[in-house]
């Protein structure tokens, strides 16, 4: 039986959290970032399997950060950043790419510097991510989630392997009008449930609710989805998947057909796994029929605007 290591949203558990205030927090630097203007920066990324990973440096440590819209917070790997003060204990739910991690701590970040962009007074979770490092064979410093991305218009471009961040005002209007060389060809409204991007879509003509997650290496559909939608999931094989906690589950993998978000926004068959999303739905407080991840971004060059709750799309170049 084929065995894969993938980052997939599987479970959510309660974690004990301790607040820790750092005495000194040097900035996190992205040495390969390109500043386009005072409000816009472009960061190249690499794909590690199907994860979007940017290179960064913090406290003289060089490593990688995963870009994860499914994660609520900025997360630092306790393997590399293990200084905290264990007090002010509380209980919380871990979520996102790290949904199943057992124990986390919080750390107050005075300043997060993105090649001239400053994110001030941010709280980061400190969690052991060693199993992801082992599975992906990378030095992983942390995960960049919603708490960092929400104040920016985020262009995820799998064609050029780069992410562009543009500062927006409180209504979501970009502070610069000279950002994209390509033309925006379409847009779509979404609903923000806490930190989860929820999209109303269709499988054939059956209405479904998708979550959008840059760190979902495979699309996922819920086992309890309506049979009229499930009919368009064509299973190909059974896989063993290791979740973020190292727990292994068996799933059906195949192709999902006839997915569309509206009449003019549709997708070719997408590699998808059939799994149980009930625990994730309970944790996130939203009933999702599926998760759209890498396969979505591979077909759509996508701009996310959290303030406006809107997605914009730029066409892939036509190959001649």
């Amino acid at each position: 039986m084929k065995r894969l290591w993938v980052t997939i949203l599987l479970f959510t558990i309660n974690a004990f959290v301790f607040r820790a205030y750092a005495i000194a927090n040097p900035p996190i630097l992205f040495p390969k970032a390109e500043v386009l203007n005072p409000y816009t920066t472009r960061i190249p990324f690499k794909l590690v399997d199907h994860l979007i990973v940017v290179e960064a440096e913090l406290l003289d440590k060089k490593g990688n950060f995963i870009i994860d819209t499914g994660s609520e917070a900025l997360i630092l790997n306790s393997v590399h950043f293990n200084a905290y003060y264990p007090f002010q204990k509380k209980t919380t739910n871990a979520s996102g790419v790290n949904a199943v991690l057992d124990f986390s701590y919080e750390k107050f970040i005075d300043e997060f510097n993105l090649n001239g962009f400053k994110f001030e007074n941010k709280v980061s979770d400190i969690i052991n991510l060693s199993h992801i490092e082992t599975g992906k064979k990378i030095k992983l410093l942390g995960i960049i989630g919603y708490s960092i991305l929400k104040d920016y218009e985020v262009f995820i471009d799998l064609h050029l392997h780069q992410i562009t961040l543009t500062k927006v005002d409180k209504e979501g209007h970009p502070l610069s009008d000279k950002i994209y060389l390509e033309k925006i060809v379409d847009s779509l409204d979404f609903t923000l449930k806490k930190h989860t991007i929820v999209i109303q879509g269709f499988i054939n003509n059956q209405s479904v609710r998708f979550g959008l997650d840059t760190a979902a290496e495979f699309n996922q559909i819920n086992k309890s989805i309506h049979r009229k939608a499930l009919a368009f999931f064509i299973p190909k094989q059974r896989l063993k998947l290791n979740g973020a906690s190292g727990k292994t589950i068996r799933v059906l993998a195949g192709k999902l057909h006839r997915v569309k978000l509206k009449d003019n926004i549709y997708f070719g068959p997408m590699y998808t796994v059939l799994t149980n999303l009930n625990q994730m739905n309970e944790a996130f407080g939203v009933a999702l029929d599926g998760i759209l991840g890498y396969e979505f971004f591979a077909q759509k060059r996508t701009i996310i605007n959290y303030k406006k709750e809107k997605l914009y799309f730029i066409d892939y170049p036509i190959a001649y």
Side-chain angles (χ1 to χ4, degrees), residues 62-196:
K62 293 183 179 180
N64 302 284
F65 279 80
I66 295 170
I67 302 294
D68 180 11
T69 60
S71 177
E72 183 173 9
L74 169 66
I75 297 170
L76 300 181
N77 189 353
S78 65
V79 174
H80 306 294
F81 307 101
N82 59 3
Y84 59 85
Y85 299 101
F87 58 83
Q88 296 185 15
K89 182 171 69 175
K90 66 178 182 180
T91 301
T92 190
N93 287 325
S95 62
V97 73
N98 58 308
V100 295
L101 301 173
D102 294 333
F103 296 100
S104 66
Y105 305 87
E106 285 186 351
K107 184 171 185 175
F108 189 80
I109 303 296
D110 291 330
E111 183 177 290
F112 183 106
N113 191 318
L114 182 64
N115 198 40
F117 278 43
K118 292 185 179 180
F119 310 95
E120 297 179 336
N121 302 326
K122 297 291 183 181
V123 175
S124 73
D125 291 337
I126 300 180
I127 299 175
N128 190 323
L129 302 176
S130 59
H131 45 279
I132 300 179
E133 285 192 306
T134 300
K136 297 302 181 185
K137 297 179 175 60
I138 60 173
K139 181 176 180 178
L140 183 62
L141 298 187
I143 295 167
I144 297 173
Y146 167 76
S147 66
I148 296 297
L149 300 175
K150 64 183 178 63
D151 296 323
Y152 291 82
E153 193 167 80
V154 184
F155 178 24
I156 300 168
D157 188 350
L158 259 65
H159 172 63
L160 296 177
H161 282 206
Q162 60 191 23
I163 181 170
T164 302
L165 300 180
T166 300
K167 184 73 174 176
V168 296
D169 62 22
K170 62 182 180 180
E171 282 82 30
H173 303 301
L175 297 181
S176 173
D177 59 356
K178 297 180 180 179
I179 310 170
Y180 313 118
L181 297 177
E182 299 93 338
K183 181 181 178 181
I184 293 174
V185 295
D186 217 328
S187 64
L188 183 76
D189 294 330
F190 66 82
T191 302
L192 196 61
K193 297 292 186 181
K194 296 183 179 177
H195 65 283
T196 304

Side-chain angles (χ1 to χ4, degrees), residues 185-222:
V185 295
D186 217 328
S187 64
L188 183 76
D189 294 330
F190 66 82
T191 302
L192 196 61
K193 297 292 186 181
K194 296 183 179 177
H195 65 283
T196 304
I197 296 171
V198 179
I199 304 169
Q200 194 70 38
F202 300 89
I203 300 176
N204 198 31
N205 293 318
Q206 180 64 42
S207 179
V208 292
R209 300 181 80 194
F210 292 113
L212 187 62
D213 185 359
T214 57
E217 296 196 68
F218 296 149
N219 287 356
Q220 301 155 57
I221 58 170
N222 202 346

